[in-house]
Amino acid sequence: SQTIHQWPATLVQPVGSPLSLECTVEGTSNPNLYWYRQAAGRGLQLLFYSVGIGQISSEVPQNLSASRPQDRQFILSSKKLLLSDSGFYLCAWSVIGTGHEKLFFGSGTQLSVL
Amino acid sequence: AQTVTQSQPEMSVQEAETVTLSCTYDTSESDYYLFWYKQPPSRQMILVIRQEAYKQQNATENRFSVNFQKAAKSFSLKISDSQLGDAAMYFCAYRSARTGGTSYGKLTFGQGTILTVHP
């Protein structure tokens, strides 16, 4: 069965520090991968998505970046965090065209930038 | 661009009663998918139900059913026999059925509705 791992679960970082959140998927190949952010009490905002290794599409201009060094690995990064980067970050995967159009989510990372 | 609107920030229901959550969307496409996701206090996103736009029949999953009105671009979720465990934030989401292109596979979410279930 397919599983998605996302870590860390919580993170407290000072303003200006770097960020690296990692997400890995097991049990499937060539998934579409996504990073979403959820502000407190709000909906999900798509940040990045990837349809293959090295292929990254950005939805919102910001000081975050994403990389996909391996087929089932998706990394969210920042060189210098801002206060506005605080939020709940969710990684997700899906496989399109096989009937598995639904999105499967990781357990999320609560990021607090102080 | 597609947009999804949930006009009810909060809803409440008595245990064992029925509640309907509203969702409208805007799109120029004719083929797409609609979803309802549940986010309990654990914050894990859980798929509740899915609807293909080309299907006229409304999707059902046990106590959960939808009222899909394609012409009106409306997609409401009905929860019957509400249970305490149904308390959560519910998100409506849209995905294009197009393959390829810059929006390939992405979901657009509404702002969510917080559902409270009273015992």
Side-chain angles (χ1 to χ4, degrees):
Chain A
S1 63
Q2 301 90 358
T3 56
I4 178 169
H5 301 280
Q6 186 181 344
W7 67 92
T10 59
L11 190 61
V12 180
Q13 291 285 97
V15 171
S17 64
L19 172 73
S20 181
L21 302 181
E22 190 164 342
C23 171
T24 59
V25 180
E26 296 178 357
T28 187
S29 58
N30 196 31
N32 284 8
L33 297 172
Y34 308 84
W35 278 110
Y36 281 86
R37 177 169 61 197
Q38 184 179 28
R42 302 289 300 277
L44 278 72
Q45 179 187 39
L46 179 63
L47 301 176
F48 300 95
Y49 66 99
S50 171
V51 299
I53 296 175
Q55 300 179 61
I56 309 294
S57 296
S58 174
E59 286 291 303
V60 182
Q62 59 219 324
N63 71 320
L64 299 172
S65 63
S67 62
R68 184 171 178 174
Q70 300 180 40
D71 180 45
R72 290 168 289 176
Q73 183 185 29
F74 205 24
I75 298 172
L76 182 69
S77 304
S78 174
K79 293 181 178 178
K80 289 185 177 181
L81 284 169
L82 306 173
L83 287 173
S84 58
D85 291 325
S86 293
F88 188 61
Y89 289 82
L90 284 159
C91 180
W93 72 273
S94 68
V95 180
I96 305 300
T98 64
H100 300 283
E101 283 78 11
K102 53 192 174 185
L103 216 58
F104 298 92
F105 286 87
S107 54
T109 297
Q110 179 63 51
L111 173 65
S112 299
V113 183
L114 305 177
Chain B
Q2 296 83 14
T3 58
V4 178
T5 302
Q6 293 177 249
S7 59
Q8 307 156 315
E10 297 182 27
M11 291 284 286
S12 63
V13 63
Q14 291 292 131
E15 199 174 4
E17 297 293 308
T18 296
V19 64
T20 299
L21 308 183
S22 301
C23 173
T24 58
Y25 57 95
D26 186 27
T27 183
S28 59
E29 299 177 332
S30 59
D31 198 11
Y32 47 86
Y33 301 91
L34 296 166
F35 306 83
W36 278 99
Y37 278 86
K38 167 186 177 181
Q39 188 179 42
S42 68
R43 306 192 79 173
Q44 178 71 47
M45 292 290 286
I46 302 166
L47 178 66
V48 174
I49 200 165
R50 178 184 70 176
Q51 175 79 42
E52 291 90 345
Y54 63 86
K55 290 186 177 179
Q56 293 185 337
Q57 185 175 8
N58 289 323
T60 62
E61 287 287 343
N62 300 314
R63 298 182 294 106
F64 299 88
S65 61
V66 299
N67 183 5
F68 174 48
Q69 301 291 327
K70 191 171 184 179
K73 296 179 182 175
S74 170
F75 182 60
S76 61
L77 174 70
K78 185 172 80 172
I79 306 174
S80 304
D81 186 26
S82 296
Q83 300 175 1
L84 295 177
D86 295 332
M89 180 171 271
Y90 286 80
F91 292 97
C92 178
Y94 170 102
R95 185 179 84 73
S96 170
R98 284 188 297 142
T99 58
T102 58
S103 63
Y104 189 48
K106 75 171 189 179
L107 285 182
T108 300
F109 285 85
Q111 288 300 301
T113 297
I114 298 172
L115 177 66
T116 302
V117 181
H118 298 289

